[in-house]
Amino acid sequence: GHPSRQHAKFTVSGSESQLEDLGSANGTFVNDQRISGAVILRSGDKFRFDLEEYEYQVVGDPTKQDNAQQTMIRQVELV
């Protein structure tokens, strides 16, 4: 299967990132739990749309002004 075009929505507000399922048929999962509303993502969380899995990472130290905090999303290789 594949994610639908309107499967889920990412929202970034300040230093907070949220993932929300948009009523998809196959569901959106965060750490293997199906979500029905918006969920705040934390560094290291894994989220999945049908069979495609990704990992959410926060990179950098937000306490240091010269090292801006960034987010990274990478696809997880399925074995």
Side-chain angles (χ1 to χ4, degrees), residues 4-78:
S4 59
R5 288 182 180 198
Q6 301 280 327
H7 195 101
K9 175 175 75 170
F10 284 100
T11 305
V12 178
S13 177
S15 63
E16 188 174 275
S17 297
Q18 292 186 356
L19 176 62
E20 179 180 3
D21 183 75
L22 297 177
S24 63
N26 294 322
T28 300
F29 296 80
V30 175
N31 299 322
D32 292 323
Q33 299 291 317
R34 188 173 186 151
I35 64 170
S36 58
V39 172
I40 296 171
L41 294 174
R42 306 213 186 290
S43 191
D45 281 349
K46 291 186 178 171
F47 57 92
R48 180 168 44 93
F49 310 119
D50 196 23
L51 298 176
E52 296 180 17
E53 186 172 53
Y54 301 86
E55 183 175 5
Y56 174 81
Q57 288 287 325
V58 177
V59 182
D61 184 351
T63 63
K64 297 184 179 182
Q65 291 181 354
D66 61 341
N67 189 7
Q69 189 174 14
Q70 299 175 350
T71 57
M72 178 178 67
I73 296 173
R74 67 175 182 87
Q75 189 164 13
V76 175
E77 297 290 326
L78 298 177

